Amino acid sequence: MFKLISVRYKDILYIEELEILENKVTCIVGESGSGKSTLLRLLNKLISCDSGEIFYKDCPINDINSIELRRNVVMLPQQPVIFSGTIKDNLLIGLKFSDKPEVDDTKLHMVLDMVNLNKELSTDAEKLSGGEKQRLGLARVILLEPEVFLLDEPSSALDENTEKTIIEKLVQYREITNKTVVMVTHSKKTALSYSDSIIEITKGRISARKENIKNEYQ
Amino acid sequence: MNTSDIIDLHLWQMITGYLFVVVLLFIVRLKGIPREKEILISTVRMTLQLILVGYLLSYIFEFPSPIYTVLILICMEMFSIYTILKRTKINLLSRLGRIIAFAMTFGTVSCLFYFLFVVVHISPWYEPRYFIPIAGMLVGNSMTGITLGVKRLVDGINTNKHIVEGALMLGATPKMASKQIVDDAFDSAILPTINSMLGMGIVFLPGMMTGQILSGVSPVTAISYQIAIMLGVLGSVALTVIIFVQMGYKTFFNQQNQLNL
Ligand SMILES: Nc1ncnc2c1ncn2[C@@H]1O[C@H](COP(=O)(O)OP(=O)(O)OP(=O)(O)O)[C@@H](O)[C@H]1O
Ligand SMILES: [Mg+2]
């Protein structure tokens, strides 16, 4: 899905070669400050690399309109972003930004269910807890049904059980819909249990890469 | 205009006006507030500037010339742009600085011309008695408005960077991502003008009207001018600020629709 060749971003990240496969779950691990978020931001074209080339479906992303790209490759930021208004407003605004048609409340309840958020649609989103905000952000991204999900530590504020249920549901959903997921995580366990491939970044460089982990692990 | 019954202020009468300042200085000293210097300087500057302008205007009114009128308009525009840039700490040569200069000039000049030639019908077109005070009202108010708008827009984007980027990540255009901030900037820029319209005539009589009434014009004439001028001011403030915010938010994004901060 993505191919990176000699990609450099400032002195923060240097990736000689990397391929991210379609219809797979790729986990990115590495210590804090190693450049994981920077990599996702590059793939979402929120920033551009200083040299090298990133391809999306064999097309250099510099040739793809950023907005079109971001509507297909949606990113969930590490810090949850909440827009003023209710939970419903926060879900619908994603569709508006992505220029997709509005959906009915049943669908909204469905995505909230996927992230285990049992709240009224009319709840003021600012009043949610940190973990609830994080799940609302995830629900908003799921609602957009993009080709690729770039998830930056989607479960960092969640307890182990909630994390497990949500990631499981997400992986199931991915299998049914044939989506691509790229997920940054701090949890080795999550990475080992759910990913098809793991990329480890150390000080801005890829230090390890494992394929087919899920099968191996099970 | 009936000028025979206007009380001309004599020099000694004006000097008694300065008694206020003396009293103020006395109070300030008594309370130990270190503001004597500022009070003195602002009093002296106000006096000198007004005397100078008084003589300048009486000369220009007596010998109307298109050159002087246009020159004064240019000075006003330059001074107001300089003031906005200084207060917002923006460089004239930056993209935002050039947009401020353009919005200010285009917005005020087009409203001024509409006002003078369509609403009031002055002739000759450079008649300084109308041209200069009306230009002053439009430029001055637009300057205040746009300064508020610039501050709000720059602060808004800087402090809400993660929200703007959060919107971009979801596929928003820069316009969508900054809509809330742009709307806020516009609101805060025209709010003072709208508020002053609401209090008009009840809480205060605007300066221009006070001056006209004091110099003997019938209050009804003064009011009809004031109404027209308030509309002109509102139009000019709104137009300059709209031009500014519509062009201004774009400077925070690059060609790849990335936030460049
Ligand atoms: N815009 C920027 N300008 C300068 N330095 C930056 C910028 N963005 C990130 N960095 C630096 O790049 C490095 C990598 O940041 P990044 O956010 O990618 O780390 P990370 O792996 O996601 O860390 P964490 O696990 O803590 O989220 C950090 O040292 C950070 O300070
Ligand atoms: Mg990070």
Side-chain angles (χ1 to χ4, degrees):
Chain A
M1 202 65 162
F2 278 105
K3 200 182 251 172
L4 287 80
I5 295 169
S6 311
V7 169
R8 180 185 295 284
Y9 179 73
K10 299 191 180 162
D11 52 1
I12 295 169
L13 196 65
Y14 179 72
I15 293 177
E16 213 158 307
E17 213 199 326
L18 174 66
E19 188 161 5
I20 292 171
L21 295 174
E22 197 172 346
N23 300 337
K24 299 278 181 225
V25 179
T26 303
C27 276
I28 301 172
V29 297
E31 58 190 35
S32 177
S34 55
K36 306 181 295 293
S37 300
T38 305
L39 175 57
L40 290 199
R41 289 162 66 82
L42 280 168
L43 299 181
N44 187 247
K45 216 176 156 186
L46 221 47
I47 49 177
S48 294
C49 51
D50 299 318
S51 63
E53 192 91 79
I54 301 176
F55 296 90
Y56 175 66
K57 290 182 171 172
D58 295 326
C59 183
I61 65 168
N62 279 333
D63 298 347
I64 308 175
N65 178 304
S66 310
I67 290 161
E68 286 308 311
L69 179 81
R70 290 179 200 140
R71 285 175 182 173
N72 292 320
V73 181
V74 173
M75 174 163 173
L76 176 74
Q78 190 165 3
Q79 289 296 329
V81 169
I82 296 297
F83 300 94
S84 61
T86 60
I87 290 188
K88 184 174 175 174
D89 295 334
N90 267 275
L91 291 172
L92 292 181
I93 204 169
L95 293 168
K96 205 176 110 202
F97 286 156
S98 254
D99 201 21
K100 294 196 167 75
E102 260 196 35
V103 296
D104 56 13
D105 289 1
T106 332
K107 182 87 196 257
L108 299 183
H109 282 298
M110 229 173 73
V111 287
L112 288 181
D113 214 43
M114 258 188 85
V115 298
N116 278 15
L117 192 59
N118 304 309
K119 292 273 176 185
E120 291 292 321
L121 285 176
S122 57
T123 313
D124 182 358
E126 296 284 1
K127 296 212 174 86
L128 295 176
S129 75
E132 286 167 342
K133 284 181 183 164
Q134 193 171 39
R135 281 176 280 159
L136 175 58
L138 183 59
R140 179 167 53 208
V141 169
I142 293 171
L143 191 61
L144 298 178
E145 302 176 352
E147 293 172 12
V148 182
F149 290 88
L150 303 174
L151 309 176
D152 200 347
E153 306 202 23
S155 53
S156 59
L158 307 182
D159 58 274
E160 215 169 308
N161 276 336
T162 317
E163 175 176 24
K164 189 162 177 279
T165 8
I166 292 178
I167 304 280
E168 243 160 43
K169 282 191 207 175
L170 188 75
V171 171
Q172 254 172 32
Y173 161 82
R174 190 216 65 74
E175 257 161 35
I176 302 164
T177 52
N178 272 335
K179 304 283 186 193
T180 306
V181 173
V182 184
M183 180 162 66
V184 172
T185 176
H186 264 142
S187 153
K188 273 255 154 59
K189 204 173 138 200
T190 306
L192 286 169
S193 322
Y194 301 107
S195 61
D196 300 292
S197 126
I198 299 181
I199 297 162
E200 192 181 356
I201 300 185
T202 310
K203 293 195 178 113
R205 283 164 201 261
I206 295 178
S207 51
R209 194 167 176 166
K210 294 185 198 132
E211 307 290 341
N212 293 325
I213 311 107
K214 209 164 58 176
N215 303 342
E216 238 170 67
Y217 192 70
Q218 277 164 354
Chain B
M1 201 193 287
N2 182 359
T3 48
S4 62
D5 49 1
I6 300 169
I7 311 167
D8 236 342
L9 272 190
H10 289 290
L11 187 61
W12 64 269
Q13 285 177 302
M14 271 179 58
I15 287 172
T16 55
Y18 284 98
L19 204 63
F20 283 120
V21 182
V22 176
V23 171
L24 183 61
L25 279 175
F26 181 71
I27 294 173
V28 166
R29 167 146 303 174
L30 208 68
K31 295 262 175 200
I33 307 167
R35 281 282 170 271
E36 289 124 315
K37 210 175 117 201
E38 282 88 345
I39 294 171
L40 271 177
I41 289 177
S42 59
T43 309
V44 171
R45 262 190 67 171
M46 182 269 298
T47 310
L48 289 180
Q49 285 167 4
L50 286 183
I51 289 174
L52 221 71
V53 166
Y55 280 109
L56 187 71
L57 286 184
S58 53
Y59 176 81
I60 290 169
F61 286 1
E62 209 154 319
F63 308 100
S65 134
I67 295 176
Y68 289 142
T69 304
V70 169
L71 219 59
I72 286 188
L73 178 63
I74 291 174
C75 283
M76 280 181 190
E77 296 284 2
M78 280 182 3
F79 177 76
S80 65
I81 290 166
Y82 169 77
T83 309
I84 298 163
L85 295 173
K86 209 175 113 186
R87 275 196 227 156
T88 52
K89 301 193 179 69
I90 288 170
N91 188 336
L92 176 64
L93 298 177
S94 67
R95 244 173 100 197
L96 205 58
R98 282 176 297 174
I99 288 173
I100 291 172
F102 171 75
M104 195 60 203
T105 315
F106 183 83
T108 53
V109 169
S110 55
C111 276
L112 178 67
F113 283 11
Y114 175 81
F115 194 80
L116 291 176
F117 307 135
V118 181
V119 181
V120 188
H121 296 287
I122 64 165
S123 97
W125 66 266
Y126 53 84
E127 173 58 82
R129 213 171 272 279
Y130 290 87
F131 200 112
I132 291 169
I134 291 173
M137 293 285 287
L138 300 194
V139 173
N141 282 286
S142 302
M143 176 181 92
T144 313
I146 215 170
T147 307
L148 293 169
V150 173
K151 280 193 180 153
R152 200 56 174 262
L153 186 73
V154 174
D155 286 353
I157 293 198
N158 281 325
T159 54
N160 293 300
K161 192 178 170 228
H162 67 291
I163 296 206
V164 176
E165 278 204 328
L168 291 180
M169 288 176 195
L170 298 168
T173 59
K175 186 178 181 162
M176 293 169 169
S178 51
K179 178 170 190 309
Q180 188 71 47
I181 297 166
V182 166
D183 289 355
D184 274 356
F186 180 73
D187 273 352
S188 72
I190 65 161
L191 209 63
T193 309
I194 290 191
N195 280 342
S196 80
M197 284 172 83
L198 291 177
M200 195 62 60
I202 303 171
V203 189
F204 51 84
L205 294 179
M208 177 164 181
M209 198 168 124
T210 315
Q212 277 181 311
I213 294 175
L214 283 180
S215 58
V217 175
S218 109
V220 176
T221 312
I223 277 170
S224 60
Y225 262 95
Q226 189 58 43
I227 290 173
I229 284 173
M230 275 318 292
L231 297 175
V233 165
L234 180 67
S236 171
V237 173
L239 184 63
T240 39
V241 175
I242 282 183
I243 296 174
F244 167 71
V245 292
Q246 285 307 320
M247 295 175 77
Y249 81 85
K250 292 186 183 138
T251 62
F252 294 92
F253 298 89
N254 65 17
Q255 295 243 302
Q256 301 278 9
N257 296 306
Q258 298 164 340
L259 198 56
N260 51 9
L261 285 176

